[in-house]
Amino acid sequence: MTEKNQQILLARRPAGAVEEGNFRLVEAEVPQPAEGQFLVRNLFLSLDPYMRGRMSEAKSYAKPAEVGQVMVGGAVGEVVASRHPKFKPGDKVEGPFGWQLYALSDGKGVRKIEERGIPLSAYLGVLGMPGVTAYIGLLDIGQPKAGETLVVSAASGAVGGVVGQIAKIQGCRAVGIAGGADKCRFAVEELGYDACVDYKAGRLDEDLPRAVPGGVDVYFDNVGGEITDSVLLRMNAFSRIPLCGLISEYGRPEPRGLKNVRSLLVNRIKLQGFIVSDHLQRWPAALADLARWVAEGKIKYRETVAEGLRNAPTAFIGMLSGKNLGKQVVKLS
Amino acid sequence: MTEKNQQILLARRPAGAVEEGNFRLVEAEVPQPAEGQFLVRNLFLSLDPYMRGRMSEAKSYAKPAEVGQVMVGGAVGEVVASRHPKFKPGDKVEGPFGWQLYALSDGKGVRKIEERGIPLSAYLGVLGMPGVTAYIGLLDIGQPKAGETLVVSAASGAVGGVVGQIAKIQGCRAVGIAGGADKCRFAVEELGYDACVDYKAGRLDEDLPRAVPGGVDVYFDNVGGEITDSVLLRMNAFSRIPLCGLISEYGRPEPRGLKNVRSLLVNRIKLQGFIVSDHLQRWPAALADLARWVAEGKIKYRETVAEGLRNAPTAFIGMLSGKNLGKQVVKLS
């Protein structure tokens, strides 16, 4: 093999907002699999908000990424060489292969993709970690009942877009919060939300109540901060908040937090932080339902595709400030 | 009957901190029961932090108290006249009789007290709403397991003092947070806490970690604010926060809220606001266990007793700033 591997390393930890200088592109030899390993050529790289947390040293649910090492991340690719009994060249796989063109794997955390006409990149989104996150967070933690009102922040994103559509399948009123008129139009016209509020219009405290005249029964939170404080004032008694992400906090040197904590008490709200990897036993059922809903046209999805590994940092920084519509991926070949 | 009734009315709503001027003492005729009613002479009046919420107009779990009306509140008393089939003169009763010497009741929300050598005032504390609040919040929502570490704020109060002792009965390490060395000494020496941190010493971020070297599995929160932010930094993965009160917020014109919301996500914390009156079906079991534990000496309690209805406002204001040790009551005769 004469081709070189390319890798994006974590060059230094961000002090606040992520910058291009936090990353470094390097070339390396394409490695050869040892006994029990296989070599993957990555086709699509996933970019997800959780990666921002891994770039910092603060205690989190996963160990931080190491400075000088390849950035962590999921990818789909094709096995090109194997000394692993369960994977053979030509297999399509999804796994934690990192920000690079070629990766070695021992099969841990890797799933084989049965191709059935769905584009491979979807296994990083609606049929991957973000889709399962939406499914478990909404159904297991949010426990929506038909007729209830769901609100989801980052409503047109990789997770949020699936949350709203599952809520509709459950018979809920689904209301999104997103940044910009385009995202809101997409949420209502393409994803089927009943309403979507553009928080960038600067009138969330007036616009949200009109979109949820009966209050909020489930708030699927991806963002935290001011948006969540506004939603807290509309929560109904015995409502639920699956806490999935805090993207509004990630770039801040000091946390902003929440002001309207009183609503949690007064309305007897159950708020639960969750991480999809804690719920591995639920993945098969979630993926089966999601695949069926996609095949039936009940769940639609959109991707924002960056081209080439060297553009991953720019795409990642853009995603953290909400430039993507739907799932952000990087096409590698 | 020649005696007059005395009542304390809500004179005006507090703007921030509660003041004496928010109340007004008036005299009135002692009322006579209509058919289906009975008349109670109150013996002890309960003072509880939740009453602060009822003094405000803001939406809460119960309707606000009305200006010009008798202040809401629980009391124990003796039936002195009755046209109700289930209550007769001489019965000792506990119910929502308000800040007054005499009250009419139709029996709603009233329980008859079977006297068994426990002082009547205890039915406002450890064997009443605060005790049941501690029981349900800790056991049903906090779900402590033997060997786990519990932290409770307002640890020597009417609720907190019972929480710590039930946690010990469950085999937990019980750590209190209280204001002042006296309260902490009382918590450890009389109530049996393993440790108690005096937040008024101003070193909570250093003192708390020493008291909870293995982190916190259940945080029973009565206070919110800075204390809760400090505890949030010590929470373990999959820990629980029964949210019972936010006494640090009650006097503020603007909420302070919480900064360290990220811990809720990173540690997959389940936080649940609760109100004891939502769980009426659990009261009999709770009261039976609490009465047994008190009789066995496994749960101790302390009261701070004010004398005379006219001193109720001062005692209430003092309780809101933490001047009481244990349950605050007012002796009325």
Side-chain angles (χ1 to χ4, degrees):
Chain A
M1 220 173 286
T2 55
E3 200 186 348
K4 290 276 188 182
N5 195 7
Q6 291 184 2
Q7 305 176 310
I8 291 182
L9 312 183
L10 176 60
R12 56 179 173 76
R13 301 195 186 284
V18 179
E19 302 163 352
E20 305 266 345
N22 297 120
F23 304 96
R24 187 166 70 244
L25 179 70
V26 297
E27 286 208 334
E29 297 302 313
V30 175
Q32 296 302 316
E35 187 59 34
Q37 291 184 324
F38 58 91
L39 178 69
V40 180
R41 185 168 65 93
N42 284 332
L43 301 170
F44 289 95
L45 170 64
S46 182
L47 296 180
D48 302 280
Y50 79 85
M51 296 168 176
R52 175 64 186 81
R54 304 286 288 275
M55 294 177 76
S56 294
E57 247 174 335
K59 182 195 167 198
S60 185
Y61 44 86
K63 271 192 290 195
E66 297 297 330
V67 172
Q69 299 295 308
V70 177
M71 272 290 295
V72 294
V76 288
E78 178 174 349
V79 176
V80 291
S82 180
R83 297 178 66 190
H84 189 292
K86 294 192 179 154
F87 295 88
K88 60 179 195 303
D91 283 350
K92 300 296 192 299
V93 287
E94 182 271 324
F97 304 135
W99 293 27
Q100 54 188 342
L101 298 187
Y102 289 91
L104 287 179
S105 171
D106 60 5
K108 198 175 159 194
V110 175
R111 75 185 152 126
K112 240 186 258 196
I113 294 172
E114 317 262 343
E115 292 188 74
R116 32 185 173 184
I118 296 174
L120 277 178
S121 56
Y123 294 88
L124 298 176
V126 61
L127 298 183
M129 183 274 287
V132 177
T133 299
Y135 183 99
I136 289 172
L138 179 63
L139 297 181
D140 294 1
I141 298 176
Q143 306 206 339
K145 290 181 268 297
E148 288 191 329
T149 294
L150 163 102
V151 168
V152 55
S153 51
S156 69
V159 173
V162 180
V163 170
Q165 294 179 88
I166 299 178
K168 290 303 298 177
I169 292 170
Q170 303 299 312
C172 295
R173 176 174 170 81
V175 174
I177 300 174
D182 286 349
K183 286 184 180 178
C184 278
R185 196 175 312 114
F186 166 72
V188 172
E189 293 178 6
E190 290 201 41
L191 301 181
Y193 278 85
D194 295 288
C196 185
V197 181
D198 172 13
Y199 74 87
K200 288 190 176 167
R203 302 179 308 259
L204 189 56
D205 283 336
E206 294 104 77
D207 293 345
L208 182 63
R210 276 196 288 272
V212 295
V216 180
D217 301 296
V218 180
Y219 172 48
F220 191 108
D221 191 9
N222 289 306
V223 302
E226 288 178 15
I227 290 173
T228 298
D229 264 331
S230 188
V231 181
L232 278 171
L233 296 179
R234 311 295 156 197
M235 299 300 289
N236 287 331
F238 306 106
S239 52
R240 289 81 65 196
I241 301 181
L243 176 59
C244 178
L246 289 167
I247 200 166
S248 76
E249 296 278 9
Y250 295 163
R252 291 175 173 267
E254 293 294 323
R256 185 241 181 225
L258 295 173
K259 301 284 182 206
N260 296 327
V261 174
R262 184 168 172 276
S263 177
L264 298 173
L265 174 61
V266 167
N267 294 309
R268 294 85 110 191
I269 294 171
K270 189 172 83 177
L271 179 156
Q272 189 170 347
F274 75 102
I275 306 293
V276 69
S277 52
D278 291 332
H279 302 265
L280 291 180
Q281 80 290 352
R282 287 286 282 152
W283 281 58
L287 288 168
D289 279 344
L290 290 164
R292 195 180 72 249
W293 289 331
V294 169
E296 293 172 353
K298 289 183 181 163
I299 290 190
K300 293 169 185 155
Y301 63 96
R302 183 80 76 93
E303 292 169 347
T304 298
V305 183
E307 299 274 344
L309 185 67
R310 68 178 56 248
N311 292 315
T314 312
F316 181 66
I317 292 165
M319 180 197 65
L320 289 176
S321 65
K323 294 209 174 121
N324 57 309
L325 187 63
K327 172 67 193 175
Q328 177 72 56
V329 298
V330 183
K331 189 169 186 298
L332 296 179
S333 60
Chain B
M1 221 173 284
T2 56
E3 202 187 347
K4 290 276 190 182
N5 195 6
Q6 291 185 3
Q7 305 176 309
I8 291 181
L9 312 183
L10 176 60
R12 56 178 174 77
R13 301 197 186 282
V18 180
E19 302 163 352
E20 305 265 345
N22 296 120
F23 304 96
R24 187 166 71 244
L25 180 70
V26 298
E27 286 208 335
E29 297 303 312
V30 175
Q32 296 302 316
E35 189 59 36
Q37 292 185 323
F38 57 92
L39 178 69
V40 180
R41 186 167 64 92
N42 284 333
L43 301 171
F44 289 94
L45 170 64
S46 182
L47 296 180
D48 302 279
Y50 79 84
M51 295 168 176
R52 174 63 185 83
R54 303 286 288 274
M55 295 176 76
S56 294
E57 247 173 336
K59 182 193 167 197
S60 185
Y61 46 85
K63 271 192 290 194
E66 297 297 330
V67 172
Q69 298 296 306
V70 177
M71 272 290 296
V72 294
V76 289
E78 180 175 345
V79 176
V80 290
S82 179
R83 297 177 67 189
H84 190 293
K86 294 192 179 153
F87 295 88
K88 61 177 195 306
D91 283 350
K92 300 295 194 299
V93 288
E94 182 271 324
F97 303 135
W99 293 28
Q100 55 187 341
L101 299 186
Y102 289 91
L104 286 178
S105 171
D106 59 6
K108 197 175 160 196
V110 176
R111 81 186 146 125
K112 240 185 257 196
I113 294 172
E114 317 262 342
E115 292 188 75
R116 32 184 173 184
I118 296 175
L120 277 178
S121 56
Y123 294 87
L124 298 175
V126 61
L127 299 183
M129 183 274 286
V132 177
T133 299
Y135 183 100
I136 290 172
L138 179 64
L139 297 180
D140 294 1
I141 298 175
Q143 305 205 339
K145 291 182 267 298
E148 288 191 330
T149 295
L150 162 102
V151 168
V152 54
S153 50
S156 70
V159 173
V162 180
V163 170
Q165 294 179 89
I166 299 178
K168 291 303 297 177
I169 293 169
Q170 303 300 312
C172 295
R173 177 175 170 80
V175 174
I177 300 175
D182 285 350
K183 286 183 179 177
C184 278
R185 197 175 313 114
F186 167 72
V188 171
E189 293 179 5
E190 289 200 42
L191 301 182
Y193 279 86
D194 295 289
C196 185
V197 181
D198 171 13
Y199 73 87
K200 288 190 175 167
R203 301 179 308 261
L204 189 57
D205 283 336
E206 294 104 76
D207 292 345
L208 182 63
R210 276 196 290 273
V212 295
V216 180
D217 301 296
V218 180
Y219 172 49
F220 191 109
D221 191 9
N222 289 306
V223 303
E226 288 178 16
I227 290 173
T228 298
D229 263 332
S230 188
V231 180
L232 278 171
L233 296 179
R234 312 295 157 195
M235 298 301 288
N236 288 331
F238 305 107
S239 52
R240 288 81 65 197
I241 301 182
L243 176 58
C244 178
L246 290 166
I247 201 166
S248 75
E249 296 277 11
Y250 295 162
R252 291 176 173 267
E254 293 294 324
R256 183 232 182 238
L258 295 174
K259 301 283 183 206
N260 296 326
V261 174
R262 184 168 172 275
S263 177
L264 298 172
L265 174 61
V266 168
N267 294 308
R268 295 85 112 193
I269 295 171
K270 189 172 82 175
L271 179 155
Q272 190 171 347
F274 76 102
I275 306 293
V276 68
S277 52
D278 291 331
H279 303 265
L280 291 179
Q281 80 290 353
R282 287 285 283 151
W283 282 58
L287 288 169
D289 280 345
L290 290 164
R292 195 179 73 248
W293 289 330
V294 169
E296 293 171 354
K298 289 183 181 164
I299 290 190
K300 293 169 185 155
Y301 63 96
R302 183 80 76 92
E303 291 169 346
T304 299
V305 183
E307 299 274 343
L309 184 67
R310 69 177 56 247
N311 291 314
T314 312
F316 181 66
I317 292 165
M319 181 198 66
L320 289 176
S321 64
K323 293 211 174 117
N324 58 309
L325 187 63
K327 171 67 192 176
Q328 177 73 57
V329 297
V330 182
K331 190 168 184 297
L332 296 179
S333 61

